[in-house]
Amino acid sequence: MKHILVLRGGALGDFLVTLPFLRAVRNTWPAARLELVGNARAGALALLDGTIDAVHAQSDSRWSPLYAEPPLPATLQTELEKFDLVISFWPDPDGELSRHFPRRESQRFVTGSAHVSTRPAAAHFFQALPELPYQTDFLF
């Protein structure tokens, strides 16, 4: 994996329980560029320690076409095609978001529920990528 994108909304608390998952992704693919689309202010915390390489505000209008009919605007298509792995924790009850992925044959697209269903809450996000090492030291 060279480029990874994580779609995760919510406020500071939602971001904090996602942080162990982001760290596991970073540890699994340390050379990959890891980007987050979510709460930009909260995501800035993960920039400080190198957990992620970039954070984009989910409130930016450039992401709204992901919930619209295809095709995507050319600039967004180009941006999304560079990712080898896209992990979405955005709500997608009608499959509007999912129908835009994968963008290319070798791109992997995985989804996980935005609603935490396990305890501890941080463990919930590991269900999207079961091959990630689940390490309790990430949780505390």
Side-chain angles (χ1 to χ4, degrees):
M1 301 285 168
K2 292 182 181 180
H3 295 92
I4 301 170
L5 180 66
V6 177
L7 308 173
R8 172 68 171 129
L12 179 60
D14 297 312
F15 174 76
L16 290 177
V17 297
T18 311
L19 199 50
F21 173 79
L22 293 172
R23 288 186 177 144
V25 171
R26 166 59 69 214
N27 289 341
T28 301
W29 296 288
R33 179 166 176 80
L34 178 55
E35 299 186 30
L36 171 73
V37 180
N39 182 316
R41 293 188 77 164
L45 297 172
L47 283 171
L48 294 174
D49 71 356
T51 298
I52 62 174
D53 298 300
V55 61
H56 311 279
Q58 73 179 33
S59 59
D60 187 327
S61 63
R62 73 178 164 153
W63 306 109
S64 61
L66 288 172
Y67 285 98
E69 289 290 325
L72 293 173
T75 55
L76 184 56
Q77 284 185 48
T78 301
E79 183 172 2
L80 294 173
E81 286 171 1
K82 72 181 179 185
F83 293 101
D84 302 305
L85 173 62
V86 178
I87 308 160
S88 177
F89 296 109
W90 283 359
D92 190 22
D94 300 321
E96 293 174 314
L97 172 69
S98 298
R99 72 174 162 222
H100 293 290
F101 294 97
R103 299 302 314 162
R104 56 183 166 84
E105 188 175 315
S106 61
Q107 184 180 69
R108 183 172 176 200
F109 177 71
V110 296
T111 61
S113 174
H115 303 288
V116 174
S117 61
T118 60
R119 300 218 186 270
H124 166 83
F125 300 96
F126 286 84
Q127 295 172 5
L129 282 175
E131 67 267 27
L132 289 180
Y134 181 87
Q135 297 181 20
T136 56
D137 60 326
F138 288 143
L139 302 177
F140 305 103

